[in-house]
Amino acid sequence: MRFIDVPLRYRILVLLLILALCPFFFIGGIYSLPYPLLKMLRDGGHFVFFGLLTFFVLTTIKPVRRLKPMSLLLWMSLVALVIGGGIEWLQGGFGRDSDLGDVRRDLMGVWLVLFLLCRFEHPLRRWVFGIPLLLALLYEVVPAWQVWEEEQRIQHSLPVLVAVEHDADLDQMYGIRQLTREQAYRGDYSARVHFDADLHKGLMVYRFAHDWRGYQHFVFHAYNPAATQFRLYVAISDLDNIRYHRDLTDRYERSVILDPGWNTVTIDLESIEQAPHTRSMDMANITRINLFIWQQPPGDLFIDDMRLE
């Protein structure tokens, strides 16, 4: 097996890129937000980093290039496992979660560059190596494409933020919730959500169209099945608030009293924009909607049809 020769200037450039990418394994901020597309872009960094590392090793360290193909594959995979596993272990101390899927992507970055750089003496060996690699790449790419399509649908769904008509709509939220026909304000379904102040259980909506400019009101509908009133808190944050972990005075928050039966909650967007004490809310990057309760017994609500008007 022979290798493609690479000029020194390109190898230096690759080394600089490797060093520049290292800190991103331990940076939270926007990359820690629960956005599927951002997470997939971050995960794609594992392909890039370990692909560049493999490229640098194969084009710079000559003794490595003299290894037999299987030995080279095994050694480079072992290096990726040790470095990748070490990174995942260290990430716990930097506010990042460990993910064994990242180690798989590390290995795929190594294998892809080996496939591209190596000149196989027999075409059959290239196919034997290439077909499993292609299948592994499809395993990563197809779900990413599906998420991208779903994100495009969500971002172009305005004025609807969450219709609550399909199981996929529940994926736009965190919390103890289920799709149900028991009650529905619009359409056939709503989300039954359990609220518990002691366990900090409520509803967090994070996948929706984030640009709220050009509208006047944020509206949702809540059905209170109890015979008494229910106090619900509504908190709305923008990207700046979430990314920099600002305090509670930097977001919009208010409580609403829900009577038994259906209630329409309407919030003026101007009040949301002016809610932070030291700045204006970024209405082009509204990031999170939280519904929760405080100092009251647990209970269930039916939430339906979040939209802008």
Side-chain angles (χ1 to χ4, degrees):
M1 184 167 64
R2 297 175 298 158
F3 294 91
I4 298 171
D5 292 323
V6 178
L8 176 62
R9 63 181 180 275
Y10 294 124
R11 284 180 275 157
I12 294 175
L13 178 60
V14 167
L15 177 60
L16 293 175
L17 287 173
I18 291 171
L19 295 175
L21 288 173
C22 285
F24 288 95
F25 285 110
F26 308 103
I27 293 176
I30 191 171
Y31 301 101
S32 65
L33 295 175
Y35 292 165
L37 283 179
L38 282 178
K39 184 180 184 303
M40 288 185 170
L41 286 173
R42 181 194 67 192
D43 292 343
H46 288 264
F47 286 107
V48 176
F49 180 85
F50 280 87
L52 290 174
L53 182 62
T54 303
F55 179 92
F56 182 77
V57 170
L58 293 183
T59 56
T60 305
I61 305 176
K62 292 184 178 180
V64 172
R65 303 177 65 165
R66 290 195 286 267
L67 292 173
K68 293 182 179 180
M70 187 55 65
S71 297
L72 179 61
L73 178 64
L74 292 175
W75 275 109
M76 291 302 301
S77 298
L78 179 61
V79 169
L81 284 173
V82 171
I83 297 177
I87 288 172
E88 296 304 312
W89 179 72
L90 289 172
Q91 281 179 340
F94 291 85
R96 296 277 297 273
D97 295 326
S98 298
D99 183 357
L100 291 179
D102 288 340
V103 178
R104 181 183 70 246
R105 286 178 278 270
D106 299 339
L107 289 171
M108 290 173 61
V110 171
W111 298 339
L112 179 60
V113 172
L114 279 172
F115 178 77
L116 294 175
L117 282 187
C118 297
R119 292 174 175 170
F120 292 84
E121 296 175 358
H122 301 288
L124 180 61
R125 293 181 181 177
R126 190 171 187 86
W127 283 104
V128 170
F129 186 25
I131 290 176
L133 177 61
L134 177 61
L135 294 175
L137 288 172
L138 288 175
Y139 179 80
E140 296 288 339
V141 171
V142 171
W145 177 260
Q146 292 172 338
V147 169
W148 182 84
E149 286 189 319
E150 179 65 10
E151 286 297 301
Q152 292 303 302
R153 181 192 68 79
I154 290 172
Q155 296 303 320
H156 292 87
S157 65
L158 288 175
V160 176
L161 298 175
V162 187
V164 197
E165 284 298 306
H166 306 281
D167 287 330
D169 295 334
L170 296 184
D171 295 335
Q172 298 178 232
M173 316 169 180
Y174 281 151
I176 302 176
R177 75 275 187 221
Q178 66 180 91
L179 198 67
T180 177
R181 287 181 178 267
E182 292 179 64
Q183 300 291 339
Y185 184 87
R186 191 188 302 269
D188 298 321
Y189 296 90
S190 66
R192 184 176 191 130
V193 184
H194 181 70
F195 293 86
D196 191 323
D198 293 334
L199 298 178
H200 304 288
K201 296 294 184 182
L203 187 69
M204 182 184 80
V205 187
Y206 69 94
R207 291 181 68 188
F208 52 83
H210 303 298
D211 190 348
W212 290 14
R213 294 173 299 179
Y215 293 89
Q216 283 74 49
H217 301 98
F218 164 60
V219 180
F220 68 93
H221 308 282
Y223 183 88
N224 176 11
T228 57
Q229 291 182 325
F230 192 99
R231 181 181 291 274
L232 179 70
Y233 286 82
V234 182
I236 297 174
S237 306
D238 63 1
L239 179 61
D240 190 64
N241 175 270
I242 301 301
R243 184 178 182 182
Y244 297 109
H245 308 287
R246 300 185 186 273
D247 61 31
L248 299 183
T249 65
D250 191 68
R251 69 179 185 179
Y252 173 88
E253 184 176 317
R254 62 169 278 200
S255 66
V256 294
I257 299 297
L258 304 179
D259 294 319
W262 278 109
N263 299 259
T264 297
V265 179
T266 302
I267 300 174
D268 189 276
L269 293 192
E270 186 175 354
S271 66
I272 295 176
E273 185 176 10
Q274 297 174 357
H277 287 192
T278 59
R279 64 185 183 91
S280 295
M281 190 86 80
D282 183 0
M283 302 306 289
N285 286 292
I286 301 299
T287 304
R288 187 174 293 175
I289 303 166
N290 285 92
L291 307 181
F292 61 95
I293 63 175
W294 179 251
Q295 295 182 336
Q296 69 184 65
D300 288 1
L301 292 176
F302 297 85
I303 305 297
D304 197 11
D305 190 38
M306 287 190 171
R307 63 176 55 235
L308 301 177
E309 293 181 347

